[in-house]
Amino acid sequence: MQALGLSLLFITLAMATFWFVAFFIPGQRQVAVDGWLRDLDVRAEIRKEALQRYFVDGLANAETLAAYPTALQVLAVRSAGAGPPVADAGVPAAHLEELLGNFVRIQGVLGVVLWDADGKPCVKSRDLILDAACTAPAREVLASGAPAIGFHLHEAFGPILTFSAPVRSATGDTRGAVVIAVDPRAWLYPLLAQPLAGT
């Protein structure tokens, strides 16, 4: 009788062990994996939304600067060919340079440039060094008439991100372009470098 009881106990323990190994552990593992995947999905979605907002805001900033009445006024003076070079031509250019300087300081970007319809710089924030990295996005916007985002290699700063928008007249004609130069190392690269997994 005692041997039968021990046999039943052994069988019960064996079945419990089998159930634990065959069903419970895999089930718990799957629950953990599912939770981990959900967490990764949430983190990836948050990062995607942050990137989308960053690029949307960058283009919106370029379009806002391009819509400044002073920008169109400076371009009108340039196209009329009146007086000395526009960068020295009195109130509109000085006012716009001040606005661009304030924007650079508040937003923490590298600089902003207003280009005319011929792809020549009219007004820029003081610290920005102009080179092909600033010219290329301006020419792209002038050719397409549409806002644009691009990566370029700047001789002084290295890789830069640009947000560009056309300056339009009241009739919708493209009269120039605004280019905002941003250092991607300030926000974009650190965001992309953050691991999705872990804390």
Side-chain angles (χ1 to χ4, degrees), residues 4 30 47 59 64 75 81-82 124 127 138-139 162 164 168 181 191 196:
L4 180 61
Q30 191 59 47
R47 181 176 298 186
L59 278 181
T64 298
L75 291 171
K124 71 176 186 69
D127 294 335
R139 293 192 184 281
T162 59
S164 312
R168 301 187 191 283
L191 176 73
L196 284 177

Short mmCIF file of all heavy atoms in Angstrom, two decimals, residues 4 30 47 59 64 75 81-82 124 127 138-139 162 164 168 181 191 196:
data_model
loop_
_atom_site.label_atom_id
_atom_site.label_comp_id
_atom_site.label_asym_id
_atom_site.label_seq_id
_atom_site.Cartn_x
_atom_site.Cartn_y
_atom_site.Cartn_z
N LEU A 4 2.31 1.84 -3.36
CA LEU A 4 1.32 2.42 -4.27
C LEU A 4 1.20 3.92 -4.04
O LEU A 4 1.13 4.71 -4.98
CB LEU A 4 -0.03 1.73 -4.08
CG LEU A 4 -1.16 2.24 -4.96
CD1 LEU A 4 -0.82 2.04 -6.44
CD2 LEU A 4 -2.48 1.55 -4.61
N GLN A 30 6.19 33.67 -23.02
CA GLN A 30 5.46 34.36 -24.08
C GLN A 30 4.85 35.66 -23.58
O GLN A 30 4.84 36.67 -24.28
CB GLN A 30 4.36 33.45 -24.67
CG GLN A 30 3.74 34.01 -25.94
CD GLN A 30 4.77 34.23 -27.04
OE1 GLN A 30 5.60 33.35 -27.31
NE2 GLN A 30 4.76 35.40 -27.65
N ARG A 47 9.13 57.67 -30.68
CA ARG A 47 10.26 58.24 -31.44
C ARG A 47 9.82 58.71 -32.81
O ARG A 47 10.22 59.78 -33.27
CB ARG A 47 11.38 57.20 -31.58
CG ARG A 47 12.59 57.75 -32.33
CD ARG A 47 13.73 56.77 -32.38
NE ARG A 47 14.22 56.46 -31.07
CZ ARG A 47 15.31 55.71 -30.85
NH1 ARG A 47 15.99 55.20 -31.86
NH2 ARG A 47 15.71 55.47 -29.63
N LEU A 59 9.89 72.80 -40.85
CA LEU A 59 9.32 73.38 -42.07
C LEU A 59 8.39 74.54 -41.75
O LEU A 59 8.37 75.55 -42.46
CB LEU A 59 8.57 72.31 -42.86
CG LEU A 59 9.41 71.40 -43.75
CD1 LEU A 59 8.52 70.41 -44.48
CD2 LEU A 59 10.24 72.20 -44.75
N THR A 64 7.15 80.25 -41.76
CA THR A 64 6.82 81.46 -40.99
C THR A 64 7.79 82.59 -41.31
O THR A 64 7.37 83.74 -41.54
CB THR A 64 6.85 81.15 -39.48
OG1 THR A 64 5.86 80.16 -39.18
CG2 THR A 64 6.56 82.41 -38.66
N LEU A 75 13.21 91.71 -50.63
CA LEU A 75 13.32 91.13 -51.97
C LEU A 75 12.82 92.10 -53.04
O LEU A 75 13.37 92.14 -54.15
CB LEU A 75 12.56 89.81 -52.05
CG LEU A 75 13.17 88.67 -51.24
CD1 LEU A 75 12.23 87.47 -51.21
CD2 LEU A 75 14.53 88.27 -51.79
N GLY A 81 16.52 96.84 -57.77
CA GLY A 81 17.89 97.30 -58.00
C GLY A 81 18.12 98.69 -57.46
O GLY A 81 18.98 99.42 -57.92
N ALA A 82 17.33 99.07 -56.44
CA ALA A 82 17.42 100.44 -55.93
C ALA A 82 18.52 100.56 -54.88
O ALA A 82 18.60 99.75 -53.98
CB ALA A 82 16.08 100.85 -55.32
N LYS A 124 21.24 87.63 -43.93
CA LYS A 124 21.49 86.41 -43.18
C LYS A 124 21.75 86.75 -41.73
O LYS A 124 22.09 87.89 -41.39
CB LYS A 124 22.67 85.63 -43.75
CG LYS A 124 24.03 86.27 -43.51
CD LYS A 124 25.15 85.38 -44.02
CE LYS A 124 26.52 85.92 -43.66
NZ LYS A 124 26.81 85.87 -42.23
N ASP A 127 26.15 85.10 -37.63
CA ASP A 127 27.19 84.09 -37.37
C ASP A 127 27.27 83.00 -38.43
O ASP A 127 28.20 82.20 -38.41
CB ASP A 127 26.94 83.43 -36.01
CG ASP A 127 27.13 84.43 -34.86
OD1 ASP A 127 27.87 85.40 -35.06
OD2 ASP A 127 26.54 84.22 -33.79
N ALA A 138 18.55 76.40 -51.17
CA ALA A 138 17.87 77.59 -51.70
C ALA A 138 17.53 77.39 -53.18
O ALA A 138 16.40 77.66 -53.62
CB ALA A 138 18.74 78.83 -51.51
N ARG A 139 18.49 76.90 -53.92
CA ARG A 139 18.25 76.67 -55.35
C ARG A 139 17.18 75.61 -55.58
O ARG A 139 16.38 75.70 -56.51
CB ARG A 139 19.56 76.28 -56.05
CG ARG A 139 20.57 77.41 -56.09
CD ARG A 139 21.72 77.12 -57.03
NE ARG A 139 22.72 78.17 -57.00
CZ ARG A 139 22.62 79.33 -57.62
NH1 ARG A 139 21.52 79.61 -58.31
NH2 ARG A 139 23.58 80.23 -57.55
N THR A 162 18.84 71.24 -43.19
CA THR A 162 18.24 72.51 -43.62
C THR A 162 16.74 72.37 -43.78
O THR A 162 16.24 71.34 -44.25
CB THR A 162 18.84 72.99 -44.96
OG1 THR A 162 18.63 72.00 -45.97
CG2 THR A 162 20.32 73.29 -44.82
N SER A 164 13.83 74.64 -45.62
CA SER A 164 13.75 75.74 -46.58
C SER A 164 12.33 75.95 -47.04
O SER A 164 11.55 75.00 -47.13
CB SER A 164 14.63 75.43 -47.81
OG SER A 164 15.91 74.99 -47.41
N ARG A 168 6.85 84.02 -51.13
CA ARG A 168 5.90 84.24 -52.22
C ARG A 168 5.33 85.66 -52.17
O ARG A 168 5.14 86.23 -51.10
CB ARG A 168 4.74 83.24 -52.15
CG ARG A 168 5.18 81.80 -52.23
CD ARG A 168 3.96 80.88 -52.31
NE ARG A 168 4.32 79.48 -52.14
CZ ARG A 168 4.88 78.72 -53.05
NH1 ARG A 168 5.16 79.23 -54.24
NH2 ARG A 168 5.17 77.46 -52.81
N ALA A 181 19.49 76.72 -41.21
CA ALA A 181 20.53 75.69 -41.03
C ALA A 181 20.53 75.23 -39.58
O ALA A 181 20.59 76.05 -38.66
CB ALA A 181 21.90 76.25 -41.41
N LEU A 191 18.69 61.79 -30.39
CA LEU A 191 17.43 61.04 -30.38
C LEU A 191 17.61 59.71 -31.10
O LEU A 191 17.18 58.66 -30.61
CB LEU A 191 16.31 61.84 -31.01
CG LEU A 191 14.98 61.09 -31.12
CD1 LEU A 191 14.33 60.94 -29.75
CD2 LEU A 191 14.03 61.77 -32.09
N LEU A 196 16.19 51.66 -28.34
CA LEU A 196 14.77 51.40 -28.09
C LEU A 196 14.59 50.48 -26.90
O LEU A 196 13.67 50.63 -26.11
CB LEU A 196 14.12 50.76 -29.32
CG LEU A 196 13.81 51.69 -30.49
CD1 LEU A 196 13.24 50.90 -31.66
CD2 LEU A 196 12.84 52.78 -30.08
#
